[in-house]
Amino acid sequence: MASAQARLGAQVRTTRAAHKDQGRKLYVDMSFGVVCDEGGTALGSVAMARDATARHLAEQAARAQKA
């Protein structure tokens, strides 16, 4: 927070997660950011997660098919 920058910058990370319904496993794309005021002082942080299960499984299948 002191640097007013996210450690990973604008980089998106894919990770495993458990859905709140019945613990179903899925893949999520996570991105992080720092919220700053007009002067550049860090006020807080924000994180966004998007379900990327379909994309991730399609990429896995494509890699397996090439192998």
Side-chain angles (χ1 to χ4, degrees):
M1 290 297 293
S3 69
Q5 295 181 359
R7 184 170 55 102
L8 299 174
Q11 192 174 27
V12 176
R13 295 286 200 178
T14 302
T15 188
R16 299 272 321 249
H19 195 280
K20 67 180 181 179
D21 61 2
Q22 295 162 356
R24 173 175 53 96
K25 300 291 184 199
L26 55 108
Y27 292 89
V28 294
D29 285 341
M30 297 285 301
S31 56
F32 305 91
V34 177
V35 179
C36 298
D37 65 12
E38 297 83 12
T41 302
L43 300 174
S45 61
V46 63
M48 182 177 291
R50 297 178 238 17
D51 185 346
T53 304
R55 179 190 54 79
H56 185 80
L57 294 177
E59 288 174 357
Q60 273 185 334
R63 283 192 300 269
Q65 188 176 13
K66 285 183 182 179

